[in-house]
Amino acid sequence: MLEARLEQASILKKVVDAIKDLVQDCNFDCNDSGIALQAMDNSHVALVSMMLKSDTFSPFRCDRNIALGINLNSFQKVLRCAQNEDILTLKADDSPDVVSLVFESSEQDRISEYDIKLMDIDQEHLGIPDTEYAATITMPSGEFQRICRDLSALSESVAIEAEKNAVKFVCNGDIGNGAISLRNHSSVEKPEQNVNIELSEPVALTFSLKYLVNFCKASGLSGSVKLCLSNEVPLLVEYELASNSYLRFYLAPKIGD
Amino acid sequence: AKNQKTLAAFFTKK
């Protein structure tokens, strides 16, 4: 059986809020290492990969591999019934028809119990190769969100160009063009504004802004975001969570003929 | 013009 207790319901609320416009029905794969999810959007252009390690939960117990097939719309409806500060416990049998959620208020003596009916989801799993990326950019998640939102008003796609000490986001649209450059920046006083660019070779790739704007819905999960790029491979956008957990998005590039 | 690729062009099915 599965029993996983989260100190704060907000983590799961934010994860589901962040991915539910990209993927609809997902298997939450539970085993003794934690709860994982991998799902592609309908067009097979973007992929969500979530890992909530067992250390994220306290306690965490999962004796067998259990796949919880959940409709994310339904999940969101139930998670909205939890206060952000509530303690959240997920429970399921070994061959479950439902997943149970218990929300406990730490301040009040209130316990809320919900069940969500599970579905059989036949999901394609992709093997994602370990990649040594040519460029890794760490920047404030809010800054990345602003850039994607601003450029999406001008164009459908953005070119991300990483070179030594600088990364440039460039778009060309019908009404005009835009470009935002960021340089390495580190401040002891405001480390949350740091930009770090690690580069082994220059990279320039073009991506659909529609998907990037969608990924940025995860900005509330982490103050910083990591962009990993190599020429002619999908972009990795990673939001790191506590206890080595993460929410990752992969986006296939647009490539010329 | 650039074409949108799908992930299948880069990742293999498990």
Side-chain angles (χ1 to χ4, degrees), chain A residues 131-137 160-167 197-205 227-233:
Chain A
T131 306
E132 288 280 328
Y133 287 96
T136 302
I137 298 141
I160 305 179
E161 301 169 5
E163 52 187 55
K164 200 169 183 293
N165 296 327
V167 58
I197 301 156
E198 286 170 36
L199 193 85
S200 60
E201 59 172 326
V203 183
L205 279 169
L227 312 179
C228 302
L229 302 108
S230 281
N231 283 316
E232 311 227 331
V233 305

Side-chain angles (χ1 to χ4, degrees), chain A residues 114-130:
Chain A
Y114 294 87
D115 282 344
I116 303 173
K117 291 176 190 165
L118 298 176
M119 19 189 339
D120 273 327
I121 299 169
D122 189 17
Q123 217 156 39
E124 258 185 318
H125 262 258
L126 293 181
I128 301 166
D130 277 333

Side-chain angles (χ1 to χ4, degrees), chain A residues 56-122:
Chain A
T56 304
F57 304 90
S58 174
F60 182 87
R61 183 187 154 196
C62 186
D63 318 317
R64 297 195 191 167
N65 292 3
I66 305 172
L68 304 174
I70 304 179
N71 171 274
L72 292 186
N73 245 323
S74 311
F75 207 2
Q76 189 186 41
K77 281 180 190 169
V78 170
L79 286 170
R80 278 185 175 159
C81 304
Q83 308 285 311
N84 279 338
E85 307 303 320
D86 280 357
I87 297 163
L88 183 158
T89 307
L90 291 168
K91 290 181 191 172
D93 296 334
D94 283 344
S95 304
D97 297 320
V98 296
V99 58
S100 303
L101 289 94
V102 181
F103 310 141
E104 294 170 76
S105 161
S106 47
E107 290 173 1
Q108 299 162 267
D109 289 329
R110 171 175 46 74
I111 296 178
S112 317
E113 296 176 272
Y114 294 87
D115 282 344
I116 303 173
K117 291 176 190 165
L118 298 176
M119 19 189 339
D120 273 327
I121 299 169
D122 189 17

Side-chain angles (χ1 to χ4, degrees), chain A residues 44-45 124-127 206 232 252-255 257, chain B residues 1-8 10-14:
Chain A
H44 289 198
V45 167
E124 258 185 318
H125 262 258
L126 293 181
T206 302
E232 311 227 331
K254 291 183 170 185
I255 295 177
D257 295 325
Chain B
K2 290 184 188 294
N3 296 319
Q4 177 66 63
K5 299 290 172 187
T6 61
L7 290 166
F10 308 96
F11 298 152
T12 48
K13 284 181 194 172
K14 260 186 191 172

Side-chain angles (χ1 to χ4, degrees), chain A residues 23-62:
Chain A
V23 289
Q24 285 75 46
D25 299 326
C26 300
N27 279 324
F28 287 74
D29 297 310
C30 310
N31 60 37
D32 59 359
S33 64
I35 301 177
L37 172 155
Q38 193 203 79
M40 270 192 288
D41 80 303
N42 284 333
S43 60
H44 289 198
V45 167
L47 181 138
V48 181
S49 171
M50 177 206 79
M51 179 70 215
L52 298 177
K53 297 263 174 75
S54 57
D55 287 349
T56 304
F57 304 90
S58 174
F60 182 87
R61 183 187 154 196
C62 186

